[in-house]
Amino acid sequence: QEDFNTSVELDVDAYIPPTYILNELQKLDIYKRIAGVETQSEYDDMKEELLDRFGEIPKPADNLLRIAMIRANAHKIYITEVQGKEEVLKIVLKSDAPVEPTTIPILLAGFKDRLKFSMKGIPHFTYRYKKTGMVEKDAENLLVLTENLLQEMKVITQKQS
């Protein structure tokens, strides 16, 4: 994998609550390990360990784990930035990402008029979504939307045979 950073900023509560892990050193260690999650099996192992060591995982900590997986999956398909706020999800591609151009219209068609692609400046996708006004529901919807969109976007960085 090429060396570049992928940042994820979603309008979602994602942290380890102070009442979940009381020991600050343990909490720092868990934060570091969550940040290092790169595969589904590492995600599953981390989730299982949290359950075993600290009990039921609070929603903000679960969101943190999901965002770590979103970051890892985005990185694998040459995305440098995932930003979701103010009813817009923006996904920025690495400028030299190995994109198969013929797949972009197919991807866009699958999302009707909600997903747009722009070549202005750095190539990026934008997806407009609506909030419900219920914070937890909006957070869950944004996470699911991001996870699903990244899954669908895998096709653009794979050469078609």
Side-chain angles (χ1 to χ4, degrees):
Q1 194 69 271
E2 290 185 50
D3 191 24
F4 64 94
N5 289 326
T6 299
S7 68
V8 177
E9 291 180 44
L10 298 175
D11 194 9
V12 170
D13 284 338
Y15 61 92
I16 299 170
T19 55
Y20 187 57
I21 301 176
L22 302 177
N23 181 301
E24 289 299 317
L25 288 177
Q26 280 182 323
K27 189 184 295 188
L28 278 174
D29 177 58
I30 296 296
Y31 269 119
K32 284 181 191 172
R33 291 177 50 214
I34 288 173
V37 167
E38 291 186 9
T39 66
Q40 187 64 46
S41 68
E42 289 174 359
Y43 170 88
D44 294 340
D45 290 348
M46 188 78 241
K47 199 165 187 168
E48 191 174 314
E49 181 180 339
L50 288 174
L51 279 166
D52 288 348
R53 289 178 65 189
F54 306 106
E56 187 176 339
I57 303 170
K59 194 65 178 154
D62 188 58
N63 291 346
L64 185 66
L65 260 173
R66 288 173 71 183
I67 287 172
M69 200 66 224
I70 286 169
R71 184 200 52 75
N73 288 334
H75 191 83
K76 288 173 190 164
I77 56 174
Y78 303 91
I79 291 170
T80 59
E81 185 181 339
V82 177
Q83 190 177 73
K85 62 181 181 182
E86 298 171 11
E87 298 186 336
V88 175
L89 177 59
K90 181 179 178 183
I91 296 178
V92 180
L93 293 169
K94 192 170 181 286
S95 59
D96 61 348
V99 172
E100 180 59 43
T102 59
T103 60
I104 292 174
I106 297 165
L107 176 68
L108 296 176
F111 287 91
K112 309 235 185 295
D113 289 332
R114 294 175 308 214
L115 184 64
K116 305 280 185 207
F117 179 67
S118 175
M119 290 291 293
K120 284 185 183 172
I122 299 170
H124 66 278
F125 290 88
T126 51
Y127 184 100
R128 297 206 173 279
Y129 63 94
K130 290 276 184 224
K131 288 186 172 184
T132 65
M134 297 168 57
V135 176
E136 282 188 25
K137 184 171 177 50
D138 286 337
E140 179 62 22
N141 290 346
L142 180 56
L143 286 167
V144 169
L145 168 65
T146 306
E147 290 162 344
N148 291 342
L149 188 53
L150 290 176
Q151 183 66 33
E152 295 293 325
M153 289 182 73
K154 283 181 183 180
V155 71
I156 69 168
T157 56
Q158 295 174 349
K159 293 284 182 196
Q160 302 298 304
S161 47

